[in-house]
Amino acid sequence: MNFGSAVAEYLSKDFPYNVASDDVFLTNGCTQALEAALTALARPGANILLPRPGYPDYEARAAFAGLEVRHFDLVPENDWEVDLAAVEALGDENTVAIVIINPGNPCGNVFKYEHLKKIAETARKMGILVIADEVYCHLTFGSNPFTPMGVFASIVPIITLGSLSKKWIVPGWRIGWLAALPEIPLKTPSEFYDKIVNLFRDSADKCYKLTNEIPGISCPIKPQGCMFLMIKLDLSKVEAITDDFDFCCKLAKEESVVLVPGVGLGLKNWMRVTFAVKESYID
């Protein structure tokens, strides 16, 4: 079995239909997958809808392809769900697609089935397809189970992006690995996933708890998936700090702790933290 067939069989387990190997396009990491998708959609005057906060590679690839970027907000007070009314208002006849990242990077959210269905229905109403970034698929440990966007393919066309590096915890596996991989998505024992999810659940809980004990920063939503959470910076409670970028630079210089400033993800005065580290590092 080649890896394309293995990926097709793996995806078919979650879908109400079978994915054929011809439906799978293998890429050099998911970065190349999003590049291929955006390049194929690009045409003069076209625009694409991206989440804010989101993964900045989409902005970079859209710019490279000549696609105009229009941002829709994820609402922290509503479990980082999509502002669907804003999505409809953003779109026009030149909109080609909407990008959905689930489980969410950088927010650590997991969209509910009903919300994903509404996204699909909104996209159908607008006449656009959905690019579903699911590189963190099944890395969930909260009350919301992972639902692949592909289950709504009868409503709207879906392009699903995936990666080996996250769920199987093998970052950097990009080149020279195709012949070895068909066994990985199909024969990895469930105990492996259970161990990873349990570790992430404990780390996420601890990171959420400790963050909210620190004056000046807060995390409004406990992460339910992925390996990140977003924390909010309260400038009124910190001294000699101008914004999130300034905070992150000084934290790295003074304490050797590296966070991603929210301004780079589309949300100023927020910061992204990863909890995919040893417990002692979180402390």
Side-chain angles (χ1 to χ4, degrees):
M1 178 185 290
N2 62 41
F3 190 51
S5 298
V7 172
E9 183 177 335
Y10 168 72
L11 291 174
S12 296
K13 294 178 180 179
D14 283 336
F15 295 161
Y17 53 85
N18 288 325
V19 178
S21 59
D22 287 346
D23 296 326
V24 178
F25 178 63
L26 298 178
T27 60
N28 181 15
C30 195
T31 299
Q32 189 187 24
L34 69 90
E35 176 185 356
L38 269 58
T39 301
L41 291 170
R43 55 177 171 77
N47 65 76
I48 188 167
L49 308 183
L50 301 181
R52 180 173 54 204
Y55 183 55
D57 268 18
Y58 283 98
E59 281 83 358
R61 281 296 151 193
F64 187 80
L67 281 166
E68 176 196 349
V69 169
R70 299 182 180 180
H71 289 103
F72 60 88
D73 289 324
L74 304 180
V75 185
E77 297 79 13
N78 199 25
D79 292 339
W80 296 106
E81 288 189 343
V82 175
D83 185 344
L84 291 173
V87 166
E88 287 198 57
L90 281 174
D92 59 23
E93 67 276 5
N94 291 318
T95 304
V96 293
I98 180 173
V99 172
I100 299 297
I101 305 176
N102 182 48
N105 174 8
C107 302
N109 59 300
V110 179
F111 290 132
K112 297 181 180 69
Y113 177 97
E114 296 78 10
H115 187 62
L116 289 170
K117 185 177 181 182
K118 289 179 181 178
I119 292 172
E121 291 168 345
T122 300
R124 178 175 182 172
K125 181 179 178 181
M126 298 171 66
I128 61 176
L129 59 81
V130 177
I131 298 175
D133 184 328
E134 297 175 354
V135 298
Y136 295 97
C137 67
H138 295 292
L139 280 179
T140 60
F141 34 81
S143 58
N144 299 338
F146 169 70
T147 300
M149 197 73 195
V151 303
F152 305 109
S154 61
I155 299 175
V156 67
I158 308 289
I159 296 176
T160 298
L161 306 184
S163 169
L164 200 75
S165 63
K166 303 303 190 297
K167 180 179 176 181
W168 287 274
I169 319 298
V170 282
W173 280 36
R174 294 178 174 274
I175 300 174
W177 40 262
L178 293 180
L181 290 190
E183 305 244 333
I184 291 180
L186 299 180
K187 296 186 178 180
T188 302
S190 60
E191 292 81 7
F192 173 83
Y193 307 125
D194 294 341
K195 179 180 179 181
I196 295 299
V197 166
N198 288 334
L199 286 171
F200 279 12
R201 179 188 293 110
D202 293 344
S203 295
D205 288 349
K206 186 166 194 175
C207 199
Y208 173 78
K209 177 179 180 293
L210 294 179
T211 295
N212 283 316
E213 291 177 357
I214 301 173
I217 61 174
S218 61
C219 179
I221 304 295
K222 181 186 292 187
Q224 298 196 44
C226 197
M227 53 182 68
F228 308 107
L229 57 83
M230 289 290 283
I231 61 175
K232 190 173 185 178
L233 176 64
D234 185 349
L235 292 175
S236 69
K237 295 182 179 179
V238 293
E239 295 181 1
I241 298 292
T242 57
D243 56 23
D244 55 316
F245 190 82
D246 184 36
F247 182 93
C248 289
C249 287
K250 290 177 177 175
L251 186 66
K253 182 178 180 180
E254 296 175 19
E255 301 294 340
S256 299
V257 175
V258 179
L259 308 183
V260 177
V263 67
L265 306 169
L267 206 58
K268 188 176 178 61
N269 291 332
W270 289 67
M271 297 165 291
R272 190 187 76 167
V273 181
T274 179
F275 49 80
V277 295
K278 293 192 297 185
E279 186 174 329
S280 61
Y281 290 174
I282 294 175
D283 289 333

